[in-house]
Protein backbone atom coordinates (compact mmCIF):
# COMPACT_ATOMS: atom_id res chain seq x y z
CA UNK A 1 0.00 0.00 0.00
CA UNK A 2 3.02 2.28 0.39
CA UNK A 3 3.24 2.59 -3.40
CA UNK A 4 -0.35 3.86 -3.59
CA UNK A 5 0.44 6.48 -0.97
CA UNK A 6 3.36 7.67 -3.08
CA UNK A 7 1.15 7.74 -6.15
CA UNK A 8 -1.50 9.90 -4.52
CA UNK A 9 1.12 12.34 -3.19
CA UNK A 10 2.23 13.22 -6.73
CA UNK A 11 1.10 16.84 -7.30
CA UNK A 12 -2.09 17.05 -9.33
CA UNK A 13 -2.49 13.31 -9.76
CA UNK A 14 -5.38 12.85 -7.34
CA UNK A 15 -7.29 15.58 -9.19
CA UNK A 16 -6.62 13.95 -12.56
CA UNK A 17 -7.75 10.54 -11.26
CA UNK A 18 -10.97 12.05 -9.89
CA UNK A 19 -11.65 14.07 -13.05
CA UNK A 20 -11.18 11.13 -15.41
CA UNK A 21 -13.27 8.90 -13.13
CA UNK A 22 -16.20 11.34 -13.33
CA UNK A 23 -15.73 11.75 -17.09
CA UNK A 24 -15.74 7.96 -17.60
CA UNK A 25 -18.55 7.26 -15.12
CA UNK A 26 -21.32 7.45 -17.77
CA UNK A 27 -19.68 4.47 -19.51
CA UNK A 28 -21.32 2.33 -16.85
CA UNK A 29 -24.70 3.95 -17.51
CA UNK A 30 -25.05 4.52 -21.26
CA UNK A 31 -25.56 0.94 -22.41
CA UNK A 32 -28.44 0.27 -20.04
CA UNK A 33 -29.75 3.84 -20.31
CA UNK A 34 -29.90 3.82 -24.12
CA UNK A 35 -31.44 0.35 -24.11
CA UNK A 36 -34.22 1.38 -21.69
CA UNK A 37 -34.94 4.73 -23.35
CA UNK A 38 -35.08 3.49 -26.94
CA UNK A 39 -37.25 0.54 -25.92
CA UNK A 40 -39.58 2.99 -24.19
CA UNK A 41 -39.67 5.31 -27.23
CA UNK A 42 -40.07 2.66 -29.95
CA UNK A 43 -41.66 -0.17 -27.96
CA UNK A 44 -39.17 -2.76 -29.14
CA UNK A 45 -36.01 -4.32 -27.75
CA UNK A 46 -34.95 -5.01 -31.32
CA UNK A 47 -34.97 -1.28 -31.99
CA UNK A 48 -33.12 -0.65 -28.76
CA UNK A 49 -30.55 -3.26 -29.68
CA UNK A 50 -29.96 -1.65 -33.07
CA UNK A 51 -29.29 1.75 -31.53
CA UNK A 52 -27.04 0.29 -28.85
CA UNK A 53 -25.14 -1.71 -31.49
CA UNK A 54 -24.65 1.48 -33.54
CA UNK A 55 -23.33 3.23 -30.44
CA UNK A 56 -20.83 0.44 -29.69
CA UNK A 57 -19.69 0.05 -33.31
CA UNK A 58 -19.18 3.81 -33.55
CA UNK A 59 -16.88 3.73 -30.52
CA UNK A 60 -14.99 0.68 -31.77
CA UNK A 61 -14.32 2.02 -35.27
CA UNK A 62 -13.63 5.67 -34.48
CA UNK A 63 -11.40 5.26 -31.41
CA UNK A 64 -8.02 4.87 -33.18
CA UNK A 65 -8.85 7.62 -35.71
CA UNK A 66 -9.91 10.13 -33.04
CA UNK A 67 -6.84 9.58 -30.86
CA UNK A 68 -4.48 10.31 -33.76
CA UNK A 69 -6.14 13.70 -34.16
CA UNK A 70 -4.81 14.75 -30.74
CA UNK A 71 -1.29 15.06 -32.15
CA UNK A 72 -2.50 17.07 -35.14
CA UNK A 73 -5.01 19.44 -33.54
CA UNK A 74 -4.09 19.31 -29.85
CA UNK A 75 -5.43 17.29 -26.94
CA UNK A 76 -7.78 19.97 -25.65
CA UNK A 77 -9.27 20.75 -29.07
CA UNK A 78 -10.08 17.08 -29.72
CA UNK A 79 -11.55 16.55 -26.24
CA UNK A 80 -13.73 19.67 -26.49
CA UNK A 81 -14.96 18.86 -30.01
CA UNK A 82 -15.74 15.20 -29.33
CA UNK A 83 -17.50 16.06 -26.07
CA UNK A 84 -19.67 18.66 -27.81
CA UNK A 85 -20.59 16.34 -30.70
CA UNK A 86 -21.35 13.31 -28.53
CA UNK A 87 -23.41 15.37 -26.07
CA UNK A 88 -25.41 16.90 -28.94
CA UNK A 89 -26.11 13.48 -30.48
CA UNK A 90 -27.16 12.01 -27.13
CA UNK A 91 -29.36 15.03 -26.37
CA UNK A 92 -31.22 14.50 -29.64
CA UNK A 93 -31.76 10.87 -28.67
CA UNK A 94 -33.01 11.81 -25.19
CA UNK A 95 -35.33 14.67 -26.13
CA UNK A 96 -36.61 14.16 -29.69
CA UNK A 97 -39.25 11.75 -30.96
CA UNK A 98 -37.77 10.71 -34.30
CA UNK A 99 -37.84 7.65 -36.60
CA UNK A 100 -35.70 4.69 -35.65
CA UNK A 101 -33.15 5.36 -38.40
CA UNK A 102 -32.48 8.80 -36.89
CA UNK A 103 -31.88 7.31 -33.44
CA UNK A 104 -29.54 4.71 -34.98
CA UNK A 105 -27.62 7.52 -36.70
CA UNK A 106 -27.49 9.52 -33.45
CA UNK A 107 -26.22 6.44 -31.63
CA UNK A 108 -23.45 5.91 -34.18
CA UNK A 109 -22.39 9.57 -34.01
CA UNK A 110 -22.48 9.61 -30.20
CA UNK A 111 -20.35 6.48 -30.01
CA UNK A 112 -17.86 7.65 -32.62
CA UNK A 113 -17.48 11.01 -30.88
CA UNK A 114 -17.03 9.68 -27.33
CA UNK A 115 -14.20 11.82 -25.92
CA UNK A 116 -10.97 9.78 -25.72
CA UNK A 117 -10.52 10.27 -21.98
CA UNK A 118 -9.03 6.82 -21.31
CA UNK A 119 -6.28 6.98 -23.98
CA UNK A 120 -5.52 10.56 -22.92
CA UNK A 121 -5.13 9.84 -19.23
CA UNK A 122 -3.08 6.68 -19.80
CA UNK A 123 -0.81 8.67 -22.12
CA UNK A 124 -0.57 11.39 -19.47
CA UNK A 125 0.31 9.15 -16.52
CA UNK A 126 3.93 8.46 -17.62
CA UNK A 127 4.49 12.23 -17.75
CA UNK A 128 3.29 12.73 -14.17
CA UNK A 129 4.82 9.99 -12.02
CA UNK A 130 8.25 8.38 -11.62
CA UNK A 131 8.51 5.32 -13.83
CA UNK A 132 8.78 2.95 -10.86
CA UNK A 133 5.25 4.03 -9.82
CA UNK A 134 3.61 3.42 -13.20
CA UNK A 135 2.68 -0.22 -12.56
CA UNK A 136 0.91 0.53 -9.25
CA UNK A 137 -0.73 3.59 -10.83
CA UNK A 138 -2.13 1.57 -13.75
CA UNK A 139 -3.38 -1.05 -11.30
CA UNK A 140 -4.95 1.64 -9.10
CA UNK A 141 -6.66 3.11 -12.18
CA UNK A 142 -7.94 -0.31 -13.29
CA UNK A 143 -9.26 -1.05 -9.80
CA UNK A 144 -11.05 2.28 -9.53
CA UNK A 145 -12.84 1.75 -12.83
CA UNK A 146 -14.80 -1.03 -11.12
CA UNK A 147 -16.64 1.81 -9.36
CA UNK A 148 -17.99 2.73 -12.79
CA UNK A 149 -19.36 -0.74 -13.48
CA UNK A 150 -20.72 -1.36 -9.96
CA UNK A 151 -22.41 1.94 -9.18
CA UNK A 152 -23.19 3.16 -12.72
CA UNK A 153 -25.94 0.63 -13.52
CA UNK A 154 -27.29 0.83 -9.96
CA UNK A 155 -27.58 4.63 -10.11
CA UNK A 156 -29.17 4.51 -13.56
CA UNK A 157 -31.77 1.94 -12.50
CA UNK A 158 -32.63 4.01 -9.42
CA UNK A 159 -33.00 7.20 -11.47
CA UNK A 160 -35.19 5.49 -14.07
CA UNK A 161 -37.52 4.25 -11.32
CA UNK A 162 -37.90 7.81 -10.03
CA UNK A 163 -37.63 10.01 -13.14
CA UNK A 164 -38.22 7.86 -16.21
CA UNK A 165 -35.86 7.03 -19.06
CA UNK A 166 -35.63 10.41 -20.82
CA UNK A 167 -34.72 12.53 -17.76
CA UNK A 168 -32.32 9.81 -16.58
CA UNK A 169 -30.49 9.90 -19.91
CA UNK A 170 -30.27 13.69 -19.54
CA UNK A 171 -28.69 13.29 -16.09
CA UNK A 172 -26.17 10.83 -17.56
CA UNK A 173 -25.31 13.29 -20.34
CA UNK A 174 -24.85 16.04 -17.74
CA UNK A 175 -22.42 13.84 -15.77
CA UNK A 176 -20.41 13.27 -18.94
CA UNK A 177 -20.32 16.98 -19.77
CA UNK A 178 -19.30 18.04 -16.26
CA UNK A 179 -16.71 15.29 -15.94
CA UNK A 180 -15.21 16.06 -19.35
CA UNK A 181 -15.03 19.77 -18.52
CA UNK A 182 -13.35 19.02 -15.17
CA UNK A 183 -10.84 16.82 -16.98
CA UNK A 184 -10.17 19.25 -19.84
CA UNK A 185 -9.52 22.29 -17.63
CA UNK A 186 -6.95 20.40 -15.53
CA UNK A 187 -3.56 22.06 -16.07
CA UNK A 188 -1.88 18.70 -16.71
CA UNK A 189 -4.27 17.95 -19.58
CA UNK A 190 -3.94 21.42 -21.06
CA UNK A 191 -0.15 21.10 -20.98
CA UNK A 192 -0.13 17.70 -22.68
CA UNK A 193 1.44 17.87 -26.13
CA UNK A 194 1.61 14.69 -28.19
CA UNK A 195 4.18 14.88 -31.00
CA UNK A 196 3.02 13.85 -34.48
CA UNK A 197 3.68 10.24 -35.36
CA UNK A 198 5.35 9.22 -38.60
CA UNK A 199 3.50 5.91 -38.66
CA UNK A 200 0.40 5.25 -40.73
CA UNK A 201 -2.82 4.38 -38.97
CA UNK A 202 -2.66 0.82 -37.68
CA UNK A 203 1.13 0.45 -38.02
CA UNK A 204 1.42 0.35 -34.23
CA UNK A 205 -0.34 -3.03 -34.39
CA UNK A 206 2.79 -4.44 -36.04
CA UNK A 207 4.49 -4.28 -32.66
CA UNK A 208 4.02 -7.77 -31.14
CA UNK A 209 3.31 -6.51 -27.58
CA UNK A 210 0.54 -4.22 -28.87
CA UNK A 211 -1.10 -6.83 -31.11
CA UNK A 212 -0.83 -9.39 -28.32
CA UNK A 213 -2.45 -6.99 -25.83
CA UNK A 214 -5.29 -6.23 -28.26
CA UNK A 215 -6.04 -9.90 -29.00
CA UNK A 216 -5.68 -11.17 -25.44
CA UNK A 217 -7.70 -8.35 -23.88
CA UNK A 218 -10.43 -8.83 -26.52
CA UNK A 219 -10.78 -12.52 -25.61
CA UNK A 220 -10.62 -11.70 -21.91
CA UNK A 221 -13.33 -9.02 -22.00
CA UNK A 222 -15.41 -11.23 -24.29
CA UNK A 223 -15.26 -13.89 -21.58
CA UNK A 224 -16.50 -11.49 -18.96
CA UNK A 225 -19.36 -10.34 -21.20
CA UNK A 226 -20.32 -13.99 -21.66
CA UNK A 227 -20.29 -14.76 -17.95
CA UNK A 228 -22.39 -11.66 -17.23
CA UNK A 229 -24.97 -12.88 -19.75
CA UNK A 230 -24.85 -16.32 -18.14
CA UNK A 231 -25.44 -14.91 -14.66
CA UNK A 232 -28.39 -12.81 -15.83
CA UNK A 233 -29.88 -15.83 -17.61
CA UNK A 234 -29.42 -18.00 -14.52
CA UNK A 235 -31.46 -15.72 -12.25
CA UNK A 236 -33.70 -14.02 -14.80
CA UNK A 237 -33.76 -10.52 -16.26
CA UNK A 238 -33.95 -7.83 -13.59
CA UNK A 239 -33.30 -10.25 -10.73
CA UNK A 240 -31.56 -8.76 -7.70
CA UNK A 241 -29.45 -11.92 -7.35
CA UNK A 242 -27.70 -11.27 -10.67
CA UNK A 243 -26.77 -7.76 -9.58
CA UNK A 244 -25.38 -9.06 -6.29
CA UNK A 245 -23.19 -11.66 -8.01
CA UNK A 246 -21.79 -9.19 -10.54
CA UNK A 247 -21.18 -6.59 -7.82
CA UNK A 248 -19.23 -9.16 -5.77
CA UNK A 249 -17.13 -9.95 -8.85
CA UNK A 250 -16.36 -6.25 -9.31
CA UNK A 251 -15.46 -5.99 -5.62
CA UNK A 252 -13.03 -8.87 -6.12
CA UNK A 253 -11.46 -6.93 -8.98
CA UNK A 254 -11.12 -3.89 -6.73
CA UNK A 255 -9.39 -5.98 -4.05
CA UNK A 256 -7.15 -7.69 -6.62
CA UNK A 257 -6.11 -4.39 -8.12
CA UNK A 258 -4.95 -3.03 -4.79
CA UNK A 259 -3.37 -6.31 -3.65
CA UNK A 260 -1.37 -7.05 -6.80
CA UNK A 261 -0.89 -3.58 -8.20
CA UNK A 262 2.53 -2.94 -6.71
CA UNK A 263 4.02 -6.10 -8.24
CA UNK A 264 6.28 -5.62 -11.23
CA UNK A 265 5.14 -6.85 -14.64
CA UNK A 266 7.00 -9.88 -16.01
CA UNK A 267 6.50 -11.80 -19.29
CA UNK A 268 4.38 -14.27 -17.27
CA UNK A 269 2.21 -11.68 -15.50
CA UNK A 270 -0.69 -11.56 -17.98
CA UNK A 271 -0.92 -15.36 -18.20
CA UNK A 272 -0.82 -15.77 -14.41
CA UNK A 273 -3.45 -13.11 -13.78
CA UNK A 274 -5.73 -14.54 -16.45
CA UNK A 275 -5.28 -17.99 -14.92
CA UNK A 276 -6.73 -16.61 -11.66
CA UNK A 277 -9.73 -15.40 -13.66
CA UNK A 278 -10.01 -18.78 -15.39
CA UNK A 279 -9.97 -20.70 -12.08
CA UNK A 280 -12.81 -18.57 -10.73
CA UNK A 281 -14.90 -19.04 -13.86
CA UNK A 282 -14.28 -22.80 -13.89
CA UNK A 283 -15.46 -22.99 -10.27
CA UNK A 284 -18.63 -21.15 -11.36
CA UNK A 285 -19.60 -23.82 -13.91
CA UNK A 286 -21.62 -26.07 -11.57
CA UNK A 287 -22.94 -23.18 -9.47
CA UNK A 288 -26.52 -22.00 -9.73
CA UNK A 289 -27.09 -20.23 -6.40
CA UNK A 290 -26.05 -16.77 -5.26
CA UNK A 291 -23.43 -17.76 -2.69
CA UNK A 292 -21.58 -20.23 -4.91
CA UNK A 293 -21.52 -17.96 -7.95
CA UNK A 294 -20.50 -14.98 -5.82
CA UNK A 295 -17.51 -16.83 -4.37
CA UNK A 296 -16.46 -18.16 -7.78
CA UNK A 297 -16.69 -14.81 -9.53
CA UNK A 298 -15.05 -13.02 -6.61
CA UNK A 299 -12.03 -15.25 -7.26
CA UNK A 300 -12.25 -14.46 -10.98
CA UNK A 301 -12.46 -10.78 -10.16
CA UNK A 302 -9.19 -10.86 -8.22
CA UNK A 303 -7.31 -11.29 -11.50
CA UNK A 304 -9.36 -8.80 -13.51
CA UNK A 305 -8.00 -5.35 -12.59
CA UNK A 306 -4.40 -6.65 -12.40
CA UNK A 307 -4.74 -8.09 -15.93
CA UNK A 308 -6.13 -4.82 -17.29
CA UNK A 309 -3.35 -2.92 -15.54
CA UNK A 310 -0.76 -5.20 -17.15
CA UNK A 311 -2.02 -4.31 -20.64
CA UNK A 312 -1.64 -0.59 -19.86
CA UNK A 313 1.86 -1.12 -18.48
CA UNK A 314 2.92 -3.13 -21.54
CA UNK A 315 1.85 -0.31 -23.86
CA UNK A 316 3.62 2.32 -21.74
CA UNK A 317 6.78 0.22 -21.68
CA UNK A 318 7.00 -0.70 -25.36
CA UNK A 319 5.39 2.03 -27.47
CA UNK A 320 6.80 5.43 -28.40
CA UNK A 321 5.05 8.29 -26.66
CA UNK A 322 3.57 9.67 -29.90
CA UNK A 323 1.90 6.31 -30.62
CA UNK A 324 0.54 5.47 -27.17
CA UNK A 325 -2.90 7.12 -27.61
CA UNK A 326 -3.55 5.06 -30.75
CA UNK A 327 -2.27 1.89 -29.07
CA UNK A 328 -4.63 2.37 -26.12
CA UNK A 329 -7.48 3.10 -28.53
CA UNK A 330 -6.84 -0.18 -30.38
CA UNK A 331 -7.05 -2.03 -27.07
CA UNK A 332 -10.39 -0.33 -26.43
CA UNK A 333 -11.59 -1.31 -29.91
CA UNK A 334 -10.53 -4.91 -29.35
CA UNK A 335 -12.33 -5.04 -26.03
CA UNK A 336 -15.54 -3.66 -27.53
CA UNK A 337 -15.45 -6.22 -30.34
CA UNK A 338 -14.58 -8.98 -27.87
CA UNK A 339 -17.53 -8.03 -25.70
CA UNK A 340 -19.84 -8.12 -28.73
CA UNK A 341 -18.60 -11.57 -29.79
CA UNK A 342 -18.72 -12.94 -26.25
CA UNK A 343 -22.27 -11.73 -25.71
CA UNK A 344 -23.45 -13.04 -29.08
CA UNK A 345 -21.94 -16.53 -28.67
CA UNK A 346 -23.14 -16.67 -25.06
CA UNK A 347 -26.67 -15.88 -26.21
CA UNK A 348 -26.67 -18.86 -28.57
CA UNK A 349 -25.32 -21.19 -25.88
CA UNK A 350 -27.74 -19.88 -23.25
CA UNK A 351 -30.67 -20.57 -25.57
CA UNK A 352 -29.32 -24.11 -26.03
CA UNK A 353 -28.40 -25.18 -22.48
CA UNK A 354 -29.33 -22.35 -20.11
CA UNK A 355 -27.28 -19.90 -18.06
CA UNK A 356 -24.35 -22.30 -17.72
CA UNK A 357 -23.84 -21.93 -21.48
CA UNK A 358 -22.67 -18.37 -20.95
CA UNK A 359 -20.21 -19.53 -18.29
CA UNK A 360 -18.84 -22.21 -20.63
CA UNK A 361 -18.24 -19.57 -23.31
CA UNK A 362 -16.44 -17.44 -20.70
CA UNK A 363 -14.22 -20.35 -19.64
CA UNK A 364 -13.25 -21.11 -23.23
CA UNK A 365 -12.51 -17.47 -24.14
CA UNK A 366 -10.45 -16.77 -21.01
CA UNK A 367 -8.60 -20.08 -21.43
CA UNK A 368 -7.69 -19.06 -24.98
CA UNK A 369 -6.56 -15.63 -23.73
CA UNK A 370 -4.37 -17.15 -20.99
CA UNK A 371 -2.89 -19.68 -23.42
CA UNK A 372 -1.99 -17.02 -25.99
CA UNK A 373 -0.41 -14.89 -23.26
CA UNK A 374 1.67 -17.85 -22.05
CA UNK A 375 2.73 -19.09 -25.50
CA UNK A 376 3.77 -15.64 -26.70
CA UNK A 377 5.27 -14.49 -23.39
CA UNK A 378 8.57 -13.70 -25.14
CA UNK A 379 6.81 -10.79 -26.84
CA UNK A 380 5.91 -9.24 -23.48
CA UNK A 381 8.38 -6.95 -21.73
CA UNK A 382 10.01 -7.54 -18.36
CA UNK A 383 9.06 -4.48 -16.33
CA UNK A 384 10.04 -5.72 -12.87
CA UNK A 385 12.48 -2.85 -12.53
CA UNK A 386 10.01 -0.26 -13.69
CA UNK A 387 8.81 1.11 -17.00
CA UNK A 388 11.52 2.83 -18.99
CA UNK A 389 11.49 6.55 -19.56
CA UNK A 390 9.19 7.44 -22.47
CA UNK A 391 10.69 9.34 -25.40
CA UNK A 392 10.74 13.10 -25.21
CA UNK A 393 7.50 14.80 -26.10
CA UNK A 394 6.99 18.04 -27.95
CA UNK A 395 7.59 21.32 -26.06
CA UNK A 396 5.14 21.79 -23.22
CA UNK A 397 3.53 25.16 -22.79
CA UNK A 398 0.60 26.13 -20.62
CA UNK A 399 -1.93 28.14 -22.64
CA UNK A 400 -2.18 31.71 -21.41
Amino acid sequence: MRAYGEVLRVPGLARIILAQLIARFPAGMYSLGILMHIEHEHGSYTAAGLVLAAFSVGMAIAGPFVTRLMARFGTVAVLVTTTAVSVAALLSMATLSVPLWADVLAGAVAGAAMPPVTPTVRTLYPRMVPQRLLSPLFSFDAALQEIIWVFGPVLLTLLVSVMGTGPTLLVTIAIQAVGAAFFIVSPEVRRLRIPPTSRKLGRVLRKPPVLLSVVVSAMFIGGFSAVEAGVVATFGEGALEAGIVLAVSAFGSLIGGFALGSRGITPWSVAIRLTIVLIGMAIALPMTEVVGLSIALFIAGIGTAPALAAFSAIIAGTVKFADTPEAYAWIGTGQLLGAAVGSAVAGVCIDAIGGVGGVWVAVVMVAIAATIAAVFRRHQPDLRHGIGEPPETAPVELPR
Side-chain angles (χ1 to χ4, degrees):
M1 298 300 290
R2 182 182 303 173
Y4 298 124
E6 289 187 65
V7 163
L8 292 176
R9 285 195 294 270
V10 173
L13 186 59
R15 182 181 62 251
I16 286 292
I17 290 174
L18 177 62
Q20 61 91 23
L21 189 63
I22 297 173
R24 290 163 60 190
F25 192 80
M29 303 173 70
Y30 273 136
S31 293
L32 192 56
I34 291 173
L35 187 74
M36 289 182 174
H37 182 65
I38 298 301
E39 190 280 330
H40 176 76
E41 288 294 304
H42 295 280
S44 165
Y45 277 106
T46 299
L50 285 173
V51 176
L52 189 56
F55 181 76
S56 298
V57 170
M59 282 196 293
I61 293 176
F65 293 91
V66 171
T67 53
R68 286 176 66 94
L69 296 177
M70 291 194 291
R72 182 174 181 181
F73 297 106
T75 306
V76 171
V78 171
L79 287 170
V80 169
T81 302
T82 52
T83 299
V85 173
S86 64
V87 164
L90 289 162
L91 281 173
S92 72
M93 193 186 304
T95 59
L96 302 178
S97 295
V98 296
L100 177 59
W101 67 265
D103 276 331
V104 170
L105 179 60
V109 171
M114 273 290 124
V117 174
T118 299
T120 299
V121 77
R122 289 178 181 168
T123 300
L124 179 63
Y125 283 156
R127 315 308 299 174
M128 295 187 67
V129 303
Q131 303 308 302
R132 63 185 176 81
L133 293 179
L134 268 181
S135 289
L137 174 55
F138 282 132
S139 187
F140 185 71
D141 180 81
L144 283 182
Q145 79 176 5
E146 295 300 336
I147 295 173
I148 297 171
W149 305 109
V150 173
F151 294 105
V154 173
L155 175 61
L156 184 125
T157 303
L158 177 63
L159 290 175
V160 167
S161 67
V162 175
M163 305 168 59
T165 60
T168 296
L169 199 52
L170 290 175
V171 170
T172 306
I173 295 168
I175 294 173
Q176 177 190 332
V178 170
F182 185 20
F183 183 69
I184 291 167
V185 300
S186 300
E188 295 79 9
V189 175
R190 290 189 290 135
R191 287 196 296 261
L192 180 63
R193 298 291 185 271
I194 301 172
T197 177
S198 58
R199 294 175 180 267
K200 294 181 179 179
L201 179 69
R203 288 289 295 272
V204 72
L205 291 173
R206 293 188 178 184
K207 293 183 72 68
V210 177
L211 182 59
L212 187 65
S213 295
V214 171
V215 172
V216 173
S217 65
M219 297 298 295
F220 167 48
I221 296 300
F224 252 98
S225 295
V227 84
E228 287 175 359
V231 169
V232 171
T234 296
F235 296 107
E237 184 178 347
L240 177 61
E241 292 88 344
I244 292 173
V245 170
L246 296 177
V248 169
S249 175
F251 182 68
S253 180
L254 191 66
I255 296 297
F258 288 128
L260 301 177
S262 59
R263 294 182 177 273
I265 304 298
T266 75
W268 280 102
S269 290
V270 174
I272 291 171
R273 296 173 187 199
L274 290 179
T275 299
I276 296 173
V277 178
L278 179 60
I279 290 170
M281 289 185 173
I283 294 172
L285 281 171
M287 303 296 179
T288 57
E289 77 288 349
V290 173
V291 174
L293 278 171
S294 295
I295 293 173
L297 294 187
F298 177 85
I299 294 171
I302 289 173
T304 301
L308 293 173
F311 298 131
S312 296
I314 288 170
I315 297 301
T318 59
V319 177
K320 290 183 178 180
F321 183 71
D323 296 320
T324 52
E326 183 186 343
Y328 286 124
W330 280 115
I331 288 181
T333 293
Q335 291 175 351
L336 285 166
L337 295 177
V341 171
S343 298
V345 176
V348 174
C349 293
I350 289 169
D351 286 340
I353 60 176
V356 71
V359 183
W360 269 113
V361 172
V363 167
V364 171
M365 293 188 76
V366 175
I368 293 173
T371 301
I372 293 173
V375 170
F376 294 98
R377 63 188 180 278
R378 295 181 184 275
H379 295 296
Q380 299 171 61
D382 189 338
L383 304 175
R384 279 176 291 186
H385 301 295
I387 297 172
E389 287 287 342
E392 289 298 319
T393 184
V396 173
E397 297 179 0
L398 184 64
R400 297 181 184 277

